[in-house]
Amino acid sequence: MEFANLDLNKVYSYADYYKWKFEERVELIKGRIYKMSPAPTSAHQVIAREISGELWQFLKGKTCQVFFAPFDVRIPRKSKEDKDIITVVQPDICVICDPAKIDKKGCIGAPDIVIEILSPANSEKELKHKYDVYEDAGVKEYWVVFPQEKTLMIYTLTSGKFVPSRLMVKSDRVTSSILPGLSLDLADVFPAYDME
């Protein structure tokens, strides 16, 4: 099947998604197809590398694990059957603390932390559609990174709703209620030179 042959008005499931072999990378959000952005910019790659590297070092020897795209996160609704799952996303980075959620296909269920690095092409998808999915699924922390502004905001799940942190800037250190002891220096995360 070719991507051009898909009916973009149809609701698809993970069972459909898993069979697709076309080159375009897509995500399913509530059964609807969303094309992923073109290859990330250099700044996006540097930021992803720095954050995932820091998390990998911090989590070494601990139960929680860090994963980065491409990595399928399936969000089940009524069952974990492929035919019943209509949301499959590929976060830039995620942390999963329950080993039972990890299988050969990726993650089944909400990661503890999801980190998305915005680009002009994906801002609406990340800030609206994925925000709603992550909140409903029970992601405990949703980090949104704004590369052009060199800022970061963390949404923490409190009583079933995301509560935003203040906007953090390059001179701040990031901590996490999910990972006590983590201290991430944003000056190390954002490139010192302009890559946009």
Side-chain angles (χ1 to χ4, degrees):
M1 168 166 300
E2 299 291 322
F3 179 81
N5 296 338
L6 294 176
D7 179 353
L8 299 183
N9 295 313
K10 183 179 171 186
V11 173
Y12 291 96
S13 72
Y14 182 68
D16 300 312
Y17 172 97
Y18 196 67
K19 288 187 252 175
W20 296 333
K21 302 295 181 210
F22 42 75
E23 286 185 24
E24 291 88 345
R25 288 181 50 220
V26 299
E27 296 176 298
L28 283 182
I29 299 177
K30 299 180 181 175
R32 301 287 182 201
I33 297 171
Y34 289 83
K35 279 180 90 170
M36 295 187 70
S37 299
T41 63
S42 299
H44 183 289
Q45 292 287 55
V46 168
I47 292 165
R49 180 190 69 215
E50 294 301 321
I51 293 174
S52 57
E54 289 284 335
L55 288 170
W56 182 79
Q57 282 291 334
F58 179 79
L59 295 173
K60 244 175 148 174
K62 297 181 173 76
T63 305
C64 299
Q65 295 183 59
V66 63
F67 295 89
F68 41 89
F71 180 75
D72 285 346
V73 172
R74 291 140 24 233
I75 306 292
R77 295 177 309 153
K78 44 191 179 194
S79 89
K80 293 182 178 182
E81 295 288 319
D82 289 354
K83 65 181 177 54
D84 294 325
I85 295 173
I86 61 169
T87 297
V88 186
V89 292
Q90 292 191 9
D92 289 314
I93 305 167
C94 62
V95 174
I96 302 161
C97 296
D98 180 356
K101 290 183 177 180
I102 302 166
D103 63 17
K104 67 179 185 176
K105 295 178 181 177
C107 174
I108 181 91
D112 295 84
I113 299 173
V114 167
I115 302 166
E116 297 282 13
I117 302 164
L118 297 188
S119 70
N122 73 1
S123 294
E124 181 180 353
K125 181 175 67 167
E126 307 298 347
L127 293 174
K128 179 174 179 10
H129 304 300
K130 282 187 169 182
Y131 177 101
D132 293 341
V133 164
Y134 294 148
E135 185 178 64
D136 291 345
V139 170
K140 295 174 186 169
E141 286 184 358
Y142 178 31
W143 299 17
V144 179
V145 182
F146 304 87
Q148 290 181 312
E149 295 82 7
K150 295 183 168 67
T151 58
L152 179 144
M153 184 169 287
I154 296 178
Y155 296 91
T156 304
L157 197 66
T158 306
S159 302
K161 292 288 180 196
F162 278 144
V163 176
S165 67
R166 70 172 177 76
L167 192 63
M168 288 176 259
V169 298
K170 196 170 174 177
S171 58
D172 286 324
R173 295 189 80 81
V174 176
T175 59
S176 167
S177 60
I178 309 306
L179 304 174
L182 176 71
S183 181
L184 182 64
D185 188 345
L186 286 181
D188 294 336
V189 168
F190 294 112
Y193 46 95
D194 190 13
M195 303 173 91
E196 294 297 325

